[in-house]
Amino acid sequence: MSLKNTVLVLFTALAFTAAVQCVASAETFEITKKVPVTAAKVLTLRLHGSQNADKSGGYDRIGVYDGSRLVQIFKIANVSPYGDKSTRTYDPRSGETTVVEDMNFDGFKDFRVQAEMPAGPNIPYYCFLWDAKANKFVHSKALDFVTSPEFDQKAKLVRSFNRDSAASYIDEAYKFENGKLILMESKVTEFAESPDPLQQDKLIKTETVKKRVDGKMKVVSQTTKLVNRW
């Protein structure tokens, strides 16, 4: 065997060993989180998952309990649009990747779990809204696609920040109307190189604002200006 092939075999073996050790070091766990859906009704989430030695891991299922009685169960494989069997986050055992708050401004607490840990700032979640009439949580696919959501309780708006690329950013605001999530406003900020060779320390910044007018998103303003590159 040549030296090159020997090195390749050793590298492959080491990589395989590291992968096996990582899997072997994963520990399953179950943590709980309280959801006071009303003043008189407090449900308990039991989040089951696994976590590796480097604290990476996630949940594969979420049980909803009323006291000791299981009333609902959500499997990540059934709610993921990509068929993922588990969430993929950092330190899921801490419970910090699960957030309890009113997400549709109806006065009832809901919950969401971080779906994955992307390289950029666009954080996706699996969102579950409390349906008071059905007396259960309902998975909201519409909210799932709002990245890094923030819930403005005063304005009753769902705000989102999305970095489309290194030179393009999108701020959006959504509103619930008759139970449906509707985009109300968006601002796209884009940066481009200046074509002027004497202004290479500058960038062209363009902001385009759209608002919903008569049921349709329309451009209401667009501004362009030079800004410092640094």
mmCIF file with all atom_site columns, all heavy atoms in Angstrom, residues 12 33 38-39 49 67 74 93 98 100 106 108 125 132-133 137 145-146 148 159 168 171 178 204 207 213 221:
data_model
loop_
_atom_site.group_PDB
_atom_site.id
_atom_site.type_symbol
_atom_site.label_atom_id
_atom_site.label_alt_id
_atom_site.label_comp_id
_atom_site.label_asym_id
_atom_site.label_entity_id
_atom_site.label_seq_id
_atom_site.pdbx_PDB_ins_code
_atom_site.Cartn_x
_atom_site.Cartn_y
_atom_site.Cartn_z
_atom_site.occupancy
_atom_site.B_iso_or_equiv
_atom_site.pdbx_formal_charge
_atom_site.auth_seq_id
_atom_site.auth_comp_id
_atom_site.auth_asym_id
_atom_site.auth_atom_id
_atom_site.pdbx_PDB_model_num
ATOM 1   N N   . THR A 1 12  ? -9.662  8.161  7.311  1.00 0.00 ? 12  THR A N   1
ATOM 2   C CA  . THR A 1 12  ? -11.031 7.652  7.276  1.00 0.00 ? 12  THR A CA  1
ATOM 3   C C   . THR A 1 12  ? -11.378 6.928  8.567  1.00 0.00 ? 12  THR A C   1
ATOM 4   O O   . THR A 1 12  ? -12.468 7.090  9.122  1.00 0.00 ? 12  THR A O   1
ATOM 5   C CB  . THR A 1 12  ? -11.220 6.694  6.076  1.00 0.00 ? 12  THR A CB  1
ATOM 6   O OG1 . THR A 1 12  ? -10.887 7.397  4.873  1.00 0.00 ? 12  THR A OG1 1
ATOM 7   C CG2 . THR A 1 12  ? -12.664 6.206  5.986  1.00 0.00 ? 12  THR A CG2 1
ATOM 8   N N   . LYS A 1 33  ? -41.695 21.843 30.624 1.00 0.00 ? 33  LYS A N   1
ATOM 9   C CA  . LYS A 1 33  ? -41.934 23.282 30.497 1.00 0.00 ? 33  LYS A CA  1
ATOM 10  C C   . LYS A 1 33  ? -43.419 23.525 30.733 1.00 0.00 ? 33  LYS A C   1
ATOM 11  O O   . LYS A 1 33  ? -44.272 22.862 30.152 1.00 0.00 ? 33  LYS A O   1
ATOM 12  C CB  . LYS A 1 33  ? -41.547 23.747 29.095 1.00 0.00 ? 33  LYS A CB  1
ATOM 13  C CG  . LYS A 1 33  ? -41.278 25.237 28.979 1.00 0.00 ? 33  LYS A CG  1
ATOM 14  C CD  . LYS A 1 33  ? -39.790 25.500 29.006 1.00 0.00 ? 33  LYS A CD  1
ATOM 15  C CE  . LYS A 1 33  ? -39.467 26.940 28.698 1.00 0.00 ? 33  LYS A CE  1
ATOM 16  N NZ  . LYS A 1 33  ? -38.036 27.225 28.696 1.00 0.00 ? 33  LYS A NZ  1
ATOM 17  N N   . THR A 1 38  ? -54.394 29.322 30.282 1.00 0.00 ? 38  THR A N   1
ATOM 18  C CA  . THR A 1 38  ? -55.319 30.268 30.905 1.00 0.00 ? 38  THR A CA  1
ATOM 19  C C   . THR A 1 38  ? -54.915 30.393 32.373 1.00 0.00 ? 38  THR A C   1
ATOM 20  O O   . THR A 1 38  ? -54.044 29.664 32.859 1.00 0.00 ? 38  THR A O   1
ATOM 21  C CB  . THR A 1 38  ? -56.779 29.795 30.823 1.00 0.00 ? 38  THR A CB  1
ATOM 22  O OG1 . THR A 1 38  ? -56.956 28.636 31.635 1.00 0.00 ? 38  THR A OG1 1
ATOM 23  C CG2 . THR A 1 38  ? -57.186 29.476 29.386 1.00 0.00 ? 38  THR A CG2 1
ATOM 24  N N   . ALA A 1 39  ? -55.587 31.296 33.099 1.00 0.00 ? 39  ALA A N   1
ATOM 25  C CA  . ALA A 1 39  ? -55.278 31.468 34.518 1.00 0.00 ? 39  ALA A CA  1
ATOM 26  C C   . ALA A 1 39  ? -55.606 30.209 35.305 1.00 0.00 ? 39  ALA A C   1
ATOM 27  O O   . ALA A 1 39  ? -54.992 29.936 36.342 1.00 0.00 ? 39  ALA A O   1
ATOM 28  C CB  . ALA A 1 39  ? -56.057 32.660 35.074 1.00 0.00 ? 39  ALA A CB  1
ATOM 29  N N   . GLY A 1 49  ? -35.539 14.232 23.955 1.00 0.00 ? 49  GLY A N   1
ATOM 30  C CA  . GLY A 1 49  ? -34.513 14.358 22.930 1.00 0.00 ? 49  GLY A CA  1
ATOM 31  C C   . GLY A 1 49  ? -33.201 13.751 23.347 1.00 0.00 ? 49  GLY A C   1
ATOM 32  O O   . GLY A 1 49  ? -33.138 12.947 24.290 1.00 0.00 ? 49  GLY A O   1
ATOM 33  N N   . GLY A 1 67  ? -51.883 17.583 33.874 1.00 0.00 ? 67  GLY A N   1
ATOM 34  C CA  . GLY A 1 67  ? -51.564 16.793 35.062 1.00 0.00 ? 67  GLY A CA  1
ATOM 35  C C   . GLY A 1 67  ? -50.689 15.618 34.659 1.00 0.00 ? 67  GLY A C   1
ATOM 36  O O   . GLY A 1 67  ? -49.653 15.786 34.034 1.00 0.00 ? 67  GLY A O   1
ATOM 37  N N   . PHE A 1 74  ? -46.581 15.632 19.775 1.00 0.00 ? 74  PHE A N   1
ATOM 38  C CA  . PHE A 1 74  ? -46.092 16.126 18.489 1.00 0.00 ? 74  PHE A CA  1
ATOM 39  C C   . PHE A 1 74  ? -44.748 15.466 18.204 1.00 0.00 ? 74  PHE A C   1
ATOM 40  O O   . PHE A 1 74  ? -43.823 15.578 19.004 1.00 0.00 ? 74  PHE A O   1
ATOM 41  C CB  . PHE A 1 74  ? -45.916 17.650 18.516 1.00 0.00 ? 74  PHE A CB  1
ATOM 42  C CG  . PHE A 1 74  ? -47.189 18.417 18.663 1.00 0.00 ? 74  PHE A CG  1
ATOM 43  C CD1 . PHE A 1 74  ? -47.541 18.955 19.897 1.00 0.00 ? 74  PHE A CD1 1
ATOM 44  C CD2 . PHE A 1 74  ? -48.036 18.600 17.577 1.00 0.00 ? 74  PHE A CD2 1
ATOM 45  C CE1 . PHE A 1 74  ? -48.723 19.680 20.043 1.00 0.00 ? 74  PHE A CE1 1
ATOM 46  C CE2 . PHE A 1 74  ? -49.216 19.324 17.718 1.00 0.00 ? 74  PHE A CE2 1
ATOM 47  C CZ  . PHE A 1 74  ? -49.565 19.854 18.945 1.00 0.00 ? 74  PHE A CZ  1
ATOM 48  N N   . ARG A 1 93  ? -31.054 20.631 26.137 1.00 0.00 ? 93  ARG A N   1
ATOM 49  C CA  . ARG A 1 93  ? -31.381 20.177 27.491 1.00 0.00 ? 93  ARG A CA  1
ATOM 50  C C   . ARG A 1 93  ? -31.642 21.341 28.447 1.00 0.00 ? 93  ARG A C   1
ATOM 51  O O   . ARG A 1 93  ? -32.317 21.188 29.473 1.00 0.00 ? 93  ARG A O   1
ATOM 52  C CB  . ARG A 1 93  ? -30.247 19.302 28.025 1.00 0.00 ? 93  ARG A CB  1
ATOM 53  C CG  . ARG A 1 93  ? -30.621 18.488 29.253 1.00 0.00 ? 93  ARG A CG  1
ATOM 54  C CD  . ARG A 1 93  ? -29.592 17.410 29.511 1.00 0.00 ? 93  ARG A CD  1
ATOM 55  N NE  . ARG A 1 93  ? -30.049 16.454 30.491 1.00 0.00 ? 93  ARG A NE  1
ATOM 56  C CZ  . ARG A 1 93  ? -29.498 15.262 30.687 1.00 0.00 ? 93  ARG A CZ  1
ATOM 57  N NH1 . ARG A 1 93  ? -28.475 14.890 29.942 1.00 0.00 ? 93  ARG A NH1 1
ATOM 58  N NH2 . ARG A 1 93  ? -29.965 14.449 31.600 1.00 0.00 ? 93  ARG A NH2 1
ATOM 59  N N   . THR A 1 98  ? -36.943 26.520 23.791 1.00 0.00 ? 98  THR A N   1
ATOM 60  C CA  . THR A 1 98  ? -38.403 26.477 23.818 1.00 0.00 ? 98  THR A CA  1
ATOM 61  C C   . THR A 1 98  ? -38.923 27.757 24.452 1.00 0.00 ? 98  THR A C   1
ATOM 62  O O   . THR A 1 98  ? -38.510 28.113 25.557 1.00 0.00 ? 98  THR A O   1
ATOM 63  C CB  . THR A 1 98  ? -38.911 25.260 24.622 1.00 0.00 ? 98  THR A CB  1
ATOM 64  O OG1 . THR A 1 98  ? -38.374 24.066 24.049 1.00 0.00 ? 98  THR A OG1 1
ATOM 65  C CG2 . THR A 1 98  ? -40.428 25.185 24.601 1.00 0.00 ? 98  THR A CG2 1
ATOM 66  N N   . VAL A 1 100 ? -42.305 30.140 25.534 1.00 0.00 ? 100 VAL A N   1
ATOM 67  C CA  . VAL A 1 100 ? -43.744 30.179 25.827 1.00 0.00 ? 100 VAL A CA  1
ATOM 68  C C   . VAL A 1 100 ? -44.197 31.636 25.830 1.00 0.00 ? 100 VAL A C   1
ATOM 69  O O   . VAL A 1 100 ? -43.679 32.455 26.600 1.00 0.00 ? 100 VAL A O   1
ATOM 70  C CB  . VAL A 1 100 ? -44.053 29.522 27.196 1.00 0.00 ? 100 VAL A CB  1
ATOM 71  C CG1 . VAL A 1 100 ? -45.527 29.689 27.546 1.00 0.00 ? 100 VAL A CG1 1
ATOM 72  C CG2 . VAL A 1 100 ? -43.660 28.053 27.187 1.00 0.00 ? 100 VAL A CG2 1
ATOM 73  N N   . ASP A 1 106 ? -54.270 36.419 21.166 1.00 0.00 ? 106 ASP A N   1
ATOM 74  C CA  . ASP A 1 106 ? -55.647 36.114 21.531 1.00 0.00 ? 106 ASP A CA  1
ATOM 75  C C   . ASP A 1 106 ? -55.828 35.965 23.036 1.00 0.00 ? 106 ASP A C   1
ATOM 76  O O   . ASP A 1 106 ? -56.905 35.607 23.514 1.00 0.00 ? 106 ASP A O   1
ATOM 77  C CB  . ASP A 1 106 ? -56.127 34.833 20.830 1.00 0.00 ? 106 ASP A CB  1
ATOM 78  C CG  . ASP A 1 106 ? -55.315 33.602 21.235 1.00 0.00 ? 106 ASP A CG  1
ATOM 79  O OD1 . ASP A 1 106 ? -54.306 33.750 21.967 1.00 0.00 ? 106 ASP A OD1 1
ATOM 80  O OD2 . ASP A 1 106 ? -55.687 32.496 20.811 1.00 0.00 ? 106 ASP A OD2 1
ATOM 81  N N   . PHE A 1 108 ? -54.127 33.851 24.968 1.00 0.00 ? 108 PHE A N   1
ATOM 82  C CA  . PHE A 1 108 ? -53.742 32.513 25.430 1.00 0.00 ? 108 PHE A CA  1
ATOM 83  C C   . PHE A 1 108 ? -52.267 32.261 25.122 1.00 0.00 ? 108 PHE A C   1
ATOM 84  O O   . PHE A 1 108 ? -51.759 32.658 24.070 1.00 0.00 ? 108 PHE A O   1
ATOM 85  C CB  . PHE A 1 108 ? -54.595 31.431 24.749 1.00 0.00 ? 108 PHE A CB  1
ATOM 86  C CG  . PHE A 1 108 ? -56.066 31.565 25.002 1.00 0.00 ? 108 PHE A CG  1
ATOM 87  C CD1 . PHE A 1 108 ? -56.911 32.056 24.021 1.00 0.00 ? 108 PHE A CD1 1
ATOM 88  C CD2 . PHE A 1 108 ? -56.615 31.204 26.227 1.00 0.00 ? 108 PHE A CD2 1
ATOM 89  C CE1 . PHE A 1 108 ? -58.269 32.188 24.247 1.00 0.00 ? 108 PHE A CE1 1
ATOM 90  C CE2 . PHE A 1 108 ? -57.974 31.332 26.472 1.00 0.00 ? 108 PHE A CE2 1
ATOM 91  C CZ  . PHE A 1 108 ? -58.800 31.833 25.476 1.00 0.00 ? 108 PHE A CZ  1
ATOM 92  N N   . TYR A 1 125 ? -38.374 28.295 13.706 1.00 0.00 ? 125 TYR A N   1
ATOM 93  C CA  . TYR A 1 125 ? -39.048 27.643 14.827 1.00 0.00 ? 125 TYR A CA  1
ATOM 94  C C   . TYR A 1 125 ? -40.205 26.789 14.320 1.00 0.00 ? 125 TYR A C   1
ATOM 95  O O   . TYR A 1 125 ? -40.747 27.035 13.235 1.00 0.00 ? 125 TYR A O   1
ATOM 96  C CB  . TYR A 1 125 ? -39.619 28.685 15.803 1.00 0.00 ? 125 TYR A CB  1
ATOM 97  C CG  . TYR A 1 125 ? -38.597 29.433 16.614 1.00 0.00 ? 125 TYR A CG  1
ATOM 98  C CD1 . TYR A 1 125 ? -37.998 30.591 16.123 1.00 0.00 ? 125 TYR A CD1 1
ATOM 99  C CD2 . TYR A 1 125 ? -38.230 28.999 17.889 1.00 0.00 ? 125 TYR A CD2 1
ATOM 100 C CE1 . TYR A 1 125 ? -37.058 31.285 16.873 1.00 0.00 ? 125 TYR A CE1 1
ATOM 101 C CE2 . TYR A 1 125 ? -37.289 29.694 18.643 1.00 0.00 ? 125 TYR A CE2 1
ATOM 102 C CZ  . TYR A 1 125 ? -36.720 30.830 18.129 1.00 0.00 ? 125 TYR A CZ  1
ATOM 103 O OH  . TYR A 1 125 ? -35.789 31.513 18.877 1.00 0.00 ? 125 TYR A OH  1
ATOM 104 N N   . ALA A 1 132 ? -58.551 27.579 21.743 1.00 0.00 ? 132 ALA A N   1
ATOM 105 C CA  . ALA A 1 132 ? -59.436 27.517 22.910 1.00 0.00 ? 132 ALA A CA  1
ATOM 106 C C   . ALA A 1 132 ? -60.711 26.727 22.614 1.00 0.00 ? 132 ALA A C   1
ATOM 107 O O   . ALA A 1 132 ? -61.238 26.035 23.492 1.00 0.00 ? 132 ALA A O   1
ATOM 108 C CB  . ALA A 1 132 ? -59.797 28.933 23.370 1.00 0.00 ? 132 ALA A CB  1
ATOM 109 N N   . LYS A 1 133 ? -61.212 26.814 21.381 1.00 0.00 ? 133 LYS A N   1
ATOM 110 C CA  . LYS A 1 133 ? -62.437 26.090 21.033 1.00 0.00 ? 133 LYS A CA  1
ATOM 111 C C   . LYS A 1 133 ? -62.195 24.587 20.968 1.00 0.00 ? 133 LYS A C   1
ATOM 112 O O   . LYS A 1 133 ? -63.006 23.792 21.449 1.00 0.00 ? 133 LYS A O   1
ATOM 113 C CB  . LYS A 1 133 ? -62.984 26.593 19.701 1.00 0.00 ? 133 LYS A CB  1
ATOM 114 C CG  . LYS A 1 133 ? -63.524 28.016 19.751 1.00 0.00 ? 133 LYS A CG  1
ATOM 115 C CD  . LYS A 1 133 ? -64.123 28.412 18.415 1.00 0.00 ? 133 LYS A CD  1
ATOM 116 C CE  . LYS A 1 133 ? -64.704 29.827 18.488 1.00 0.00 ? 133 LYS A CE  1
ATOM 117 N NZ  . LYS A 1 133 ? -65.282 30.254 17.180 1.00 0.00 ? 133 LYS A NZ  1
ATOM 118 N N   . PHE A 1 137 ? -53.472 22.324 21.288 1.00 0.00 ? 137 PHE A N   1
ATOM 119 C CA  . PHE A 1 137 ? -52.511 23.093 20.509 1.00 0.00 ? 137 PHE A CA  1
ATOM 120 C C   . PHE A 1 137 ? -52.610 22.674 19.041 1.00 0.00 ? 137 PHE A C   1
ATOM 121 O O   . PHE A 1 137 ? -52.829 21.503 18.722 1.00 0.00 ? 137 PHE A O   1
ATOM 122 C CB  . PHE A 1 137 ? -51.085 22.847 21.006 1.00 0.00 ? 137 PHE A CB  1
ATOM 123 C CG  . PHE A 1 137 ? -50.782 23.493 22.327 1.00 0.00 ? 137 PHE A CG  1
ATOM 124 C CD1 . PHE A 1 137 ? -50.672 22.730 23.474 1.00 0.00 ? 137 PHE A CD1 1
ATOM 125 C CD2 . PHE A 1 137 ? -50.607 24.865 22.420 1.00 0.00 ? 137 PHE A CD2 1
ATOM 126 C CE1 . PHE A 1 137 ? -50.392 23.311 24.695 1.00 0.00 ? 137 PHE A CE1 1
ATOM 127 C CE2 . PHE A 1 137 ? -50.328 25.464 23.642 1.00 0.00 ? 137 PHE A CE2 1
ATOM 128 C CZ  . PHE A 1 137 ? -50.219 24.689 24.779 1.00 0.00 ? 137 PHE A CZ  1
ATOM 129 N N   . PHE A 1 145 ? -42.662 29.662 9.030  1.00 0.00 ? 145 PHE A N   1
ATOM 130 C CA  . PHE A 1 145 ? -41.865 30.265 7.956  1.00 0.00 ? 145 PHE A CA  1
ATOM 131 C C   . PHE A 1 145 ? -41.517 31.727 8.221  1.00 0.00 ? 145 PHE A C   1
ATOM 132 O O   . PHE A 1 145 ? -40.965 32.401 7.355  1.00 0.00 ? 145 PHE A O   1
ATOM 133 C CB  . PHE A 1 145 ? -42.601 30.119 6.621  1.00 0.00 ? 145 PHE A CB  1
ATOM 134 C CG  . PHE A 1 145 ? -42.565 28.704 6.094  1.00 0.00 ? 145 PHE A CG  1
ATOM 135 C CD1 . PHE A 1 145 ? -43.613 27.838 6.321  1.00 0.00 ? 145 PHE A CD1 1
ATOM 136 C CD2 . PHE A 1 145 ? -41.460 28.237 5.409  1.00 0.00 ? 145 PHE A CD2 1
ATOM 137 C CE1 . PHE A 1 145 ? -43.570 26.534 5.854  1.00 0.00 ? 145 PHE A CE1 1
ATOM 138 C CE2 . PHE A 1 145 ? -41.398 26.934 4.945  1.00 0.00 ? 145 PHE A CE2 1
ATOM 139 C CZ  . PHE A 1 145 ? -42.460 26.074 5.164  1.00 0.00 ? 145 PHE A CZ  1
ATOM 140 N N   . VAL A 1 146 ? -41.836 32.213 9.427  1.00 0.00 ? 146 VAL A N   1
ATOM 141 C CA  . VAL A 1 146 ? -41.412 33.557 9.836  1.00 0.00 ? 146 VAL A CA  1
ATOM 142 C C   . VAL A 1 146 ? -40.125 33.397 10.634 1.00 0.00 ? 146 VAL A C   1
ATOM 143 O O   . VAL A 1 146 ? -40.140 32.928 11.767 1.00 0.00 ? 146 VAL A O   1
ATOM 144 C CB  . VAL A 1 146 ? -42.496 34.252 10.682 1.00 0.00 ? 146 VAL A CB  1
ATOM 145 C CG1 . VAL A 1 146 ? -42.020 35.629 11.118 1.00 0.00 ? 146 VAL A CG1 1
ATOM 146 C CG2 . VAL A 1 146 ? -43.801 34.358 9.898  1.00 0.00 ? 146 VAL A CG2 1
ATOM 147 N N   . SER A 1 148 ? -36.795 34.163 12.840 1.00 0.00 ? 148 SER A N   1
ATOM 148 C CA  . SER A 1 148 ? -36.434 35.033 13.969 1.00 0.00 ? 148 SER A CA  1
ATOM 149 C C   . SER A 1 148 ? -37.608 35.918 14.392 1.00 0.00 ? 148 SER A C   1
ATOM 150 O O   . SER A 1 148 ? -37.483 37.151 14.454 1.00 0.00 ? 148 SER A O   1
ATOM 151 C CB  . SER A 1 148 ? -35.232 35.912 13.601 1.00 0.00 ? 148 SER A CB  1
ATOM 152 O OG  . SER A 1 148 ? -34.132 35.132 13.196 1.00 0.00 ? 148 SER A OG  1
ATOM 153 N N   . ARG A 1 159 ? -43.112 40.496 14.058 1.00 0.00 ? 159 ARG A N   1
ATOM 154 C CA  . ARG A 1 159 ? -42.015 41.117 13.314 1.00 0.00 ? 159 ARG A CA  1
ATOM 155 C C   . ARG A 1 159 ? -40.935 40.072 13.026 1.00 0.00 ? 159 ARG A C   1
ATOM 156 O O   . ARG A 1 159 ? -40.674 39.186 13.835 1.00 0.00 ? 159 ARG A O   1
ATOM 157 C CB  . ARG A 1 159 ? -41.437 42.297 14.092 1.00 0.00 ? 159 ARG A CB  1
ATOM 158 C CG  . ARG A 1 159 ? -42.494 43.366 14.416 1.00 0.00 ? 159 ARG A CG  1
ATOM 159 C CD  . ARG A 1 159 ? -41.865 44.622 14.991 1.00 0.00 ? 159 ARG A CD  1
ATOM 160 N NE  . ARG A 1 159 ? -42.874 45.573 15.427 1.00 0.00 ? 159 ARG A NE  1
ATOM 161 C CZ  . ARG A 1 159 ? -43.503 46.429 14.634 1.00 0.00 ? 159 ARG A CZ  1
ATOM 162 N NH1 . ARG A 1 159 ? -43.194 46.450 13.341 1.00 0.00 ? 159 ARG A NH1 1
ATOM 163 N NH2 . ARG A 1 159 ? -44.410 47.258 15.115 1.00 0.00 ? 159 ARG A NH2 1
ATOM 164 N N   . SER A 1 168 ? -28.146 41.848 1.443  1.00 0.00 ? 168 SER A N   1
ATOM 165 C CA  . SER A 1 168 ? -29.587 42.045 1.364  1.00 0.00 ? 168 SER A CA  1
ATOM 166 C C   . SER A 1 168 ? -30.261 41.636 2.668  1.00 0.00 ? 168 SER A C   1
ATOM 167 O O   . SER A 1 168 ? -30.044 40.516 3.160  1.00 0.00 ? 168 SER A O   1
ATOM 168 C CB  . SER A 1 168 ? -30.164 41.226 0.200  1.00 0.00 ? 168 SER A CB  1
ATOM 169 O OG  . SER A 1 168 ? -31.559 41.389 0.104  1.00 0.00 ? 168 SER A OG  1
ATOM 170 N N   . ASP A 1 171 ? -36.844 43.226 6.565  1.00 0.00 ? 171 ASP A N   1
ATOM 171 C CA  . ASP A 1 171 ? -37.633 43.388 7.785  1.00 0.00 ? 171 ASP A CA  1
ATOM 172 C C   . ASP A 1 171 ? -39.103 43.276 7.394  1.00 0.00 ? 171 ASP A C   1
ATOM 173 O O   . ASP A 1 171 ? -39.543 43.951 6.442  1.00 0.00 ? 171 ASP A O   1
ATOM 174 C CB  . ASP A 1 171 ? -37.369 44.750 8.431  1.00 0.00 ? 171 ASP A CB  1
ATOM 175 C CG  . ASP A 1 171 ? -35.972 44.852 9.010  1.00 0.00 ? 171 ASP A CG  1
ATOM 176 O OD1 . ASP A 1 171 ? -35.771 44.329 10.109 1.00 0.00 ? 171 ASP A OD1 1
ATOM 177 O OD2 . ASP A 1 171 ? -35.099 45.440 8.351  1.00 0.00 ? 171 ASP A OD2 1
ATOM 178 N N   . ASN A 1 178 ? -58.588 37.232 11.087 1.00 0.00 ? 178 ASN A N   1
ATOM 179 C CA  . ASN A 1 178 ? -59.484 36.064 11.013 1.00 0.00 ? 178 ASN A CA  1
ATOM 180 C C   . ASN A 1 178 ? -58.713 34.751 11.095 1.00 0.00 ? 178 ASN A C   1
ATOM 181 O O   . ASN A 1 178 ? -59.012 33.785 10.379 1.00 0.00 ? 178 ASN A O   1
ATOM 182 C CB  . ASN A 1 178 ? -60.321 36.112 9.726  1.00 0.00 ? 178 ASN A CB  1
ATOM 183 C CG  . ASN A 1 178 ? -61.198 37.339 9.645  1.00 0.00 ? 178 ASN A CG  1
ATOM 184 O OD1 . ASN A 1 178 ? -61.802 37.745 10.642 1.00 0.00 ? 178 ASN A OD1 1
ATOM 185 N ND2 . ASN A 1 178 ? -61.267 37.956 8.473  1.00 0.00 ? 178 ASN A ND2 1
ATOM 186 N N   . ILE A 1 204 ? -23.630 51.717 -2.302 1.00 0.00 ? 204 ILE A N   1
ATOM 187 C CA  . ILE A 1 204 ? -24.948 52.242 -2.634 1.00 0.00 ? 204 ILE A CA  1
ATOM 188 C C   . ILE A 1 204 ? -25.981 51.483 -1.805 1.00 0.00 ? 204 ILE A C   1
ATOM 189 O O   . ILE A 1 204 ? -26.120 50.270 -1.918 1.00 0.00 ? 204 ILE A O   1
ATOM 190 C CB  . ILE A 1 204 ? -25.267 52.079 -4.129 1.00 0.00 ? 204 ILE A CB  1
ATOM 191 C CG1 . ILE A 1 204 ? -24.246 52.828 -4.971 1.00 0.00 ? 204 ILE A CG1 1
ATOM 192 C CG2 . ILE A 1 204 ? -26.684 52.572 -4.434 1.00 0.00 ? 204 ILE A CG2 1
ATOM 193 C CD1 . ILE A 1 204 ? -24.394 52.595 -6.462 1.00 0.00 ? 204 ILE A CD1 1
ATOM 194 N N   . GLU A 1 207 ? -33.227 51.255 -0.036 1.00 0.00 ? 207 GLU A N   1
ATOM 195 C CA  . GLU A 1 207 ? -34.294 50.761 0.839  1.00 0.00 ? 207 GLU A CA  1
ATOM 196 C C   . GLU A 1 207 ? -35.625 50.848 0.099  1.00 0.00 ? 207 GLU A C   1
ATOM 197 O O   . GLU A 1 207 ? -36.016 51.915 -0.372 1.00 0.00 ? 207 GLU A O   1
ATOM 198 C CB  . GLU A 1 207 ? -34.369 51.579 2.130  1.00 0.00 ? 207 GLU A CB  1
ATOM 199 C CG  . GLU A 1 207 ? -33.238 51.292 3.094  1.00 0.00 ? 207 GLU A CG  1
ATOM 200 C CD  . GLU A 1 207 ? -33.447 51.963 4.439  1.00 0.00 ? 207 GLU A CD  1
ATOM 201 O OE1 . GLU A 1 207 ? -34.350 52.827 4.545  1.00 0.00 ? 207 GLU A OE1 1
ATOM 202 O OE2 . GLU A 1 207 ? -32.706 51.632 5.391  1.00 0.00 ? 207 GLU A OE2 1
ATOM 203 N N   . VAL A 1 213 ? -51.955 47.635 0.700  1.00 0.00 ? 213 VAL A N   1
ATOM 204 C CA  . VAL A 1 213 ? -52.941 48.657 0.354  1.00 0.00 ? 213 VAL A CA  1
ATOM 205 C C   . VAL A 1 213 ? -54.047 48.003 -0.468 1.00 0.00 ? 213 VAL A C   1
ATOM 206 O O   . VAL A 1 213 ? -53.764 47.397 -1.511 1.00 0.00 ? 213 VAL A O   1
ATOM 207 C CB  . VAL A 1 213 ? -52.303 49.812 -0.446 1.00 0.00 ? 213 VAL A CB  1
ATOM 208 C CG1 . VAL A 1 213 ? -53.361 50.855 -0.796 1.00 0.00 ? 213 VAL A CG1 1
ATOM 209 C CG2 . VAL A 1 213 ? -51.153 50.437 0.321  1.00 0.00 ? 213 VAL A CG2 1
ATOM 210 N N   . SER A 1 221 ? -42.358 53.543 -0.925 1.00 0.00 ? 221 SER A N   1
ATOM 211 C CA  . SER A 1 221 ? -41.180 54.421 -0.954 1.00 0.00 ? 221 SER A CA  1
ATOM 212 C C   . SER A 1 221 ? -39.950 53.624 -1.352 1.00 0.00 ? 221 SER A C   1
ATOM 213 O O   . SER A 1 221 ? -39.859 52.417 -1.117 1.00 0.00 ? 221 SER A O   1
ATOM 214 C CB  . SER A 1 221 ? -40.949 55.077 0.414  1.00 0.00 ? 221 SER A CB  1
ATOM 215 O OG  . SER A 1 221 ? -40.530 54.130 1.367  1.00 0.00 ? 221 SER A OG  1
#
